[in-house]
Structures are given as C-alpha cells and as structure tokens.
Amino acid sequence: MILCLALVGAGRAEANDYVVVRGAYYREASTRVIQPMVELQREAPGTGVDVAAHFLVDAITSASIAAGTAVDNVFTEIRDEVGLRVRKRWQRSDLALSYRYSAESDYWSHGVAASFGHRFWEDTASVRVSAGRSFDAVTANGRMPVCRPGGAQMQSCDLNVWFGGISYSQVLSPVAIAQVSYEAAYVEGYQGNPYRMVSSLMRYEHVPERRMRNAITPRIAYYLPASGTGFQLNYRFYFDYYPGDPGTRGAGDPWQIFARTIEARVYQQLLPSLEARVLFRYYRQNHAQFWCDAGATPPGSVPTAFCLANTDPPTGYPSDAVYYAADPKLGPVVTQYPEMQLVWQADALRDVPFLRWFSAGAFEISYGYYFQNTSFGGAHLLQTGYRLAY
Amino acid sequence: MRLFPLRLRLCLISGLALVGVAGCAHRPPVQPWQREYLSKRAMQFDSDPQEDRFRQHWLGAREGADLGFGQSGGGCGCN
C-alpha cells in the first residue's frame, strides 16, 4: 500500500490528498465488533491520477458462532481488509479501477471493480457506470463443510458475484440536487453459514445457490441557506429472485425478498467550525419464500409451498425441504436506526502546542442505536474519525 | 415471476422522466457562480465512503437486502 502511494510521487500536495483514520464500535447482546481503519489518497501532480489505499481490521467477539442460534460458544475472530484504487481524471470524466482483499480464518474474498463517470450539461448532470466481480471462499473452522446436501466434504465452498450499477445525478437548482441509481448483482455459490444449523432438521442450513439481487435508489438533497440547514431523503427499493429453475419441485421462487429503506438526514451548521448531522433510517423486508420460522407448528394449519404451517411468518420445515435456513436476516426484518453525528473543524487547535498538528483536519464522532426485531436485539454504534486534507 | 414488478417500473419511469426533463430544458439550471451551496456536505450523496463501508458491512450481516454489491462478505463467521 505504502509502495503504491510512494510510486505516485513525493511532490507537492494536491487538493485531493487526504488521510482518514477511523474507529467504529458495534455492540449488541451477543456480538461486539471493533473496527480501526486508515485510508490515504495521494494525487500525482499534474497527471490527473490519484491512488487511494485503505486498511482495516474487524475484531469480532461473539457469544454465538452461529450468529443468532442458541449455540453458546464465545469466540473472537479477526478480519483484515486491504483495498487499492487507482483513478484517472480528465476534464469531465474519470475512470477508477479498484481491488480489495478480505481475509479471516474461515472466509476469504477478492474483489475487482471498475467505475466510469462523466459530467455534462455544464457540469450540472452526471452519469456513473460501475461493474465488478468478487471471488469468495467459505470454510468452517474445525471441520470441512458440505457445500450441497448429499455432496462430499470440501476444503471450502465458493461464492462468485458479478455486480454492476448505473446512477444519474442532476442539479435541479442552486439548492437542490437529485439522483437515481440502479444496482444489480448476480450471486452464485454457497450463500449460507457453515456453522448455522436448523435445529428442527438437525442439518446445517442449505440456501439457494443462485440469486439475482436488484436495488433502485432515488435520492434528493435540499439546502436552506438562511438557516444553514441541509436535508437529504433517500429511498431504496430492493428485490431478488432465483434466476432459472430453482429446483423446488413446483413450489416456485425460493427468494422473493422485497425490502424498503427510507433514510432522512438533516445537516445543521451550529458554529462556523461545528456541524451536526441527525439521521433516521427505517428498513422493512418480508421473509424469503423458503424461510420458515423455527417456532412450534400449530396443529391443523395449512402448509405453504415451503413450510409446514401457514402462519405469519410460515412455520416449520418439512423433513424433505429443499432449502432450509435459520438465518434471522432471511426472515421478516424491521429495523430503525437513529444517529447523531458531530463534525468539528479543528482550527481552534492552531495555537495549542503539539495539538496544532491536527488543526488542519476535522474530527467527527457519532452515536446511533440500531433497533432490530430479530433475535439479535438492539445494538449500540459509536464511530469516531479524523480526516486531514494535506 | 415478472422480471420487473410494477413498483420497479414506476421507479424506472421516474428516472427516465428526470433525464427527460433535464434534456428538454434550454440551459443548465445552475450557472457556475450559483454553486456555493452545492459544495456543502449535505448536498453530496456519497461524501463519506469510509463510513459507508463500515455501514454496509454491519447492515449486510443483519438485513437481507444488502451485500453482494461489491462489499466484502464474512466478518461475523457468516454470510
């Protein structure tokens, strides 16, 4: 990472050079995540080329390796991620190529992506197209996973993803801008959790191998100059389906998750050097069609195409189920997330010994609480960061 | 199933309408000297990619509609 940045050149600093250091803390009843991260960007003077690199560590401590089941095994796992992006900018266009690698003891992921953006209509409109590919391998510590029911034990199971997206942004007025984007991803391979067992069947979960994921996101931002207040409203509509024959013996598509996200943000300049951001996010999804609640089966209930009883959500896996999972995030999920963030431009440190080194940057801190209706329960999120443009 | 449900079609039509409205106007809606407020952080949709990276990861582990769009998997012993 350092070598790549060094290759860009040690000349004078450009307007786009920066370093960001961040720390994030996530805590819910059975899981705690601590994530330190550093990112640098350096521009080669006069070439329009910049290079950015990031490195982060996830330290995950969980009371349940199966994340949501009743298995009590305290474990700590470390995930490392590095990423590199090279971008070339022209007067109205830019092309970026990126690579990232993520590794932990039972999960490895390589990802490559390309992104091209172009501004037009006197820079009031822009289009961005992106595409990428990732290659993941999943295994289970302590045993060799079975990637498909009835299959042989393997060293690891593969997961391949092709993804792409397009977005269009339009300045509507001096104080309003809108954007609409569409993302799609084709996911093929092992999409379950090799540790998670469906207790009623006493089998490790088996999730459909193919999935076509889609999301469309309109967004709008508006600024009130008189009060120095900015507003953002984001809506995201997501749906997925099984491409091709799902092999469900006529039961239909096992996926069909539909999700809606609404997020509102308010930015307020409190002081010339202090800005506050208040955020509220609401998310709701239905359950995947093949997903059945692990609760008891009410007697006499009518079965569904995938489950034993037509409750809401449907309950109980039949013994000959094609797909089965105990993953809470494939069930009906409703979450809310309010958050407050403060960003302070540290100009006031200019005359303080030692601390004056930080005066050219900005500190930020945020706290949010993540309400979940699933067995994970609520979660506290604390994030801090410092950004220095140099 | 239908490849594009009604709501998605409505969203696509809305997006195309936005493009159409933009293309039919005679001159840009904003001149260069009117862009002071557009440079504010509140007017940029992806102003903090580092924050987004962390966010997508934990949301992807807890909700069914994230991940698969270029984010890293894993991170909690699960997909």
Side-chain angles (χ1 to χ4, degrees):
Chain A
M1 183 190 297
I2 294 169
L3 177 65
C4 290
L5 292 170
L7 288 173
V8 171
R12 64 185 168 83
E14 298 289 312
N16 295 303
D17 296 349
Y18 67 80
V19 58
V20 175
V21 181
R22 284 179 60 87
Y25 177 73
Y26 177 96
R27 180 171 189 125
E28 61 187 23
S30 61
T31 303
R32 187 186 69 194
V33 180
I34 298 173
Q35 186 192 85
M37 190 278 297
V38 61
E39 180 169 317
L40 299 99
Q41 177 169 299
R42 187 88 170 104
E43 182 169 343
T47 64
V49 175
D50 61 58
V51 176
H54 77 266
F55 174 67
L56 65 84
V57 177
D58 267 334
I60 306 118
T61 303
S62 178
S64 167
I65 202 164
T69 68
V71 182
D72 271 339
N73 290 317
V74 176
F75 79 109
T76 298
E77 191 161 30
I78 301 294
R79 182 178 77 92
D80 299 311
E81 181 182 306
V82 293
L84 182 69
R85 190 207 68 215
V86 180
R87 180 173 60 177
K88 167 69 177 171
R89 288 188 292 185
W90 295 273
Q91 189 176 9
R92 286 204 154 83
S93 305
D94 68 87
L95 175 66
L97 303 173
S98 61
Y99 168 76
R100 66 153 177 76
Y101 173 64
S102 168
E104 56 190 298
S105 63
D106 51 9
Y107 202 111
W108 300 268
S109 175
H110 296 269
V112 292
S115 169
F116 176 76
H118 183 70
R119 299 190 306 275
F120 53 94
W121 204 19
E122 296 187 20
D123 292 347
T124 61
S126 67
V127 171
R128 179 160 297 279
V129 181
S130 57
R133 179 91 163 82
S134 68
F135 311 84
D136 294 10
V138 189
T139 190
N141 289 325
R143 68 179 180 85
M144 294 169 70
V146 175
C147 304
R148 292 166 183 256
Q153 287 187 311
M154 307 287 284
Q155 289 286 348
S156 64
C157 304
D158 292 337
L159 176 64
N160 296 299
V161 182
W162 292 258
F163 59 90
I166 183 167
S167 70
Y168 176 79
S169 303
Q170 176 65 57
V171 174
L172 303 174
S173 80
V175 293
I177 184 168
Q179 183 187 76
V180 62
S181 63
Y182 171 73
E183 296 172 286
Y186 174 67
V187 187
E188 184 181 71
Y190 186 78
Q191 299 181 51
N193 179 331
Y195 301 105
R196 192 183 285 124
M197 183 171 275
V198 177
S199 55
S200 60
L201 298 176
M202 288 304 290
R203 292 180 222 155
Y204 289 107
E205 68 179 16
H206 176 52
V207 175
E209 301 87 355
R210 289 200 272 168
R211 190 179 188 184
M212 189 70 206
R213 317 186 77 175
N214 307 266
I216 187 158
T217 310
R219 309 200 272 194
I220 189 160
Y222 186 82
Y223 193 78
L224 276 178
S227 60
T229 311
F231 302 91
Q232 275 190 22
L233 188 62
N234 304 335
Y235 174 77
R236 185 172 187 260
F237 175 69
Y238 167 93
F239 69 97
D240 59 23
Y241 60 89
Y242 189 102
D245 178 11
T248 52
R249 302 189 292 260
D253 194 321
W255 286 115
Q256 298 227 337
I257 292 178
F258 293 85
R260 289 127 184 118
T261 308
I262 298 175
E263 182 175 314
R265 298 179 178 204
V266 179
Y267 298 77
Q268 179 63 53
Q269 199 72 43
L270 301 175
L271 298 168
S273 62
L274 184 65
E275 183 186 67
R277 184 188 74 185
V278 178
L279 175 158
F280 183 77
R281 178 181 183 275
Y282 176 82
Y283 172 88
R284 174 182 284 271
Q285 74 174 55
N286 66 316
H287 62 83
Q289 295 305 297
F290 77 92
W291 187 89
C292 309
D293 196 350
T297 306
S301 298
V302 179
T304 70
F306 292 98
C307 306
L308 285 174
N310 189 20
T311 52
D312 184 19
T315 310
Y317 285 102
S319 59
D320 62 344
V322 178
Y323 302 117
Y324 36 90
D327 189 347
K329 72 171 180 286
L330 298 181
V333 178
V334 179
T335 68
Q336 296 97 31
Y337 180 63
E339 185 200 83
M340 171 84 175
Q341 182 195 59
L342 293 173
V343 178
W344 179 55
Q345 302 292 333
D347 299 340
L349 298 177
R350 193 175 299 143
D351 299 324
V352 181
F354 178 70
L355 293 180
R356 65 171 173 266
W357 293 101
F358 299 100
S359 64
F363 291 91
E364 66 174 68
I365 186 167
S366 68
Y367 171 78
Y369 191 82
Y370 186 51
F371 295 90
Q372 304 180 83
N373 73 329
T374 60
S375 55
F376 295 119
H380 299 273
L381 279 104
L382 180 67
Q383 298 177 71
T384 59
Y386 175 71
R387 180 189 178 95
L388 176 67
Y390 64 93
Chain B
M1 66 166 288
R2 281 188 310 207
L3 188 59
F4 293 105
L6 177 62
R7 291 184 185 190
L8 177 62
R9 276 183 280 170
L10 288 174
C11 289
L12 288 172
I13 291 168
S14 303
L16 290 173
L18 186 66
V19 175
V21 167
C24 291
H26 294 292
R27 64 188 184 93
V30 176
Q31 300 304 312
W33 59 88
Q34 296 177 305
R35 295 181 185 181
E36 177 188 353
Y37 304 120
L38 296 172
S39 65
K40 300 282 186 186
R41 189 167 79 112
M43 303 301 282
Q44 293 162 25
F45 294 117
D46 301 302
S47 60
D48 200 339
Q50 297 84 22
E51 180 187 29
D52 293 344
R53 188 181 299 131
F54 175 68
R55 208 176 143 166
Q56 287 172 338
H57 200 75
W58 61 262
L59 291 176
R62 292 294 179 260
E63 298 174 356
D66 223 318
L67 284 184
F69 298 103
Q71 308 91 328
S72 299
C76 55
C78 60
N79 283 320

